[in-house]
Amino acid sequence: MDQTYVKKLITRPKVYMNESEGIVKEVRGKKALVITDRQEMCAECVAKSFCQMFGGGKEMLSEAINPIGAKAGDMVKIGIPTGTVTKASLIVYMIPAIGLVGGASIGYFIATLYNLDLNLSTLIGSIIGLGLSMISARFLNDTLSKRPYYQPEITKIINPNNLECED
């Protein structure tokens, strides 16, 4: 097989979804804090109504990987790699759902095994299963959020050094 073809397959460009424009507030090593408009960044997200229930202002501060060397005050475009939101949604929604159903099933099984009240043991099992799955989802989220693939990335400097970064 041709080596250039293999190299192109390995180094194919990333495709980004939920791209947004923002202003770099601060650079911290290989990362930068970017101020973006919450409505623009969340426009295509299916969970935006859920996130907005918890409040938050119009602006959002995001820590993004800075591979192109943007500086404070630069207007940049940031994006999240395609597939990241889907994987994160599976963690956030599916793990607790599996824990709820699994806990309820175990509670039901224990109730039938020891002749206990089915409704009460199913309820207790589902609460325990949901709690344990929420803890494991939180732990998995903390672990995965440190990986570069799950972090926003600065893809382009739009207008360098022409905007002042306000605090």
Side-chain angles (χ1 to χ4, degrees):
M1 192 181 276
D2 187 20
Q3 290 297 328
T4 57
Y5 178 73
V6 172
K7 192 173 185 179
K8 283 182 183 178
L9 284 176
I10 294 172
T11 60
R12 63 182 183 203
K14 289 183 183 176
V15 178
Y16 296 96
M17 65 182 291
N18 289 359
E19 287 190 316
S20 178
E21 294 178 1
I23 300 172
V24 177
K25 180 178 180 181
E26 181 182 332
V27 177
R28 296 180 177 171
K30 295 183 179 184
K31 294 185 179 182
L33 294 177
V34 181
I35 299 172
T36 59
D37 182 22
R38 183 180 300 272
Q39 300 302 323
E40 183 180 331
M41 188 68 175
C42 302
E44 297 175 24
C45 182
V46 293
K48 70 179 176 183
S49 60
F50 180 73
C51 291
Q52 290 172 351
M53 286 191 315
F54 296 114
K58 185 179 180 202
E59 292 182 341
M60 180 171 61
L61 187 63
S62 303
E63 185 178 51
I65 298 171
N66 187 8
I68 58 176
K71 297 172 183 61
D74 289 350
M75 186 166 202
V76 295
K77 183 174 272 195
I78 65 171
I80 300 171
T82 302
T84 302
V85 175
T86 305
K87 291 176 185 177
S89 296
L90 283 173
I91 293 168
V92 170
Y93 295 118
M94 291 306 293
I95 290 177
I98 291 168
L100 179 71
V101 173
S105 300
I106 291 170
Y108 182 84
F109 177 73
I110 290 173
T112 56
L113 192 64
Y114 294 108
N115 290 328
L116 301 173
D117 183 23
L118 288 175
N119 292 330
L120 183 62
S121 61
T122 303
L123 175 67
I124 292 171
S126 62
I127 291 171
I128 291 171
L130 182 62
L132 291 174
S133 65
M134 295 286 273
I135 291 169
S136 63
R138 178 66 181 190
F139 176 73
L140 188 59
N141 178 48
D142 291 344
T143 304
L144 292 177
S145 67
K146 294 175 183 151
R147 294 185 180 174
Y149 183 75
Y150 289 92
Q151 296 176 353
E153 185 174 323
I154 297 176
T155 59
K156 180 180 177 183
I157 298 175
I158 298 172
N159 196 5
N161 298 324
N162 287 345
L163 298 173
E164 291 294 322
C165 184
E166 299 176 10
D167 287 332

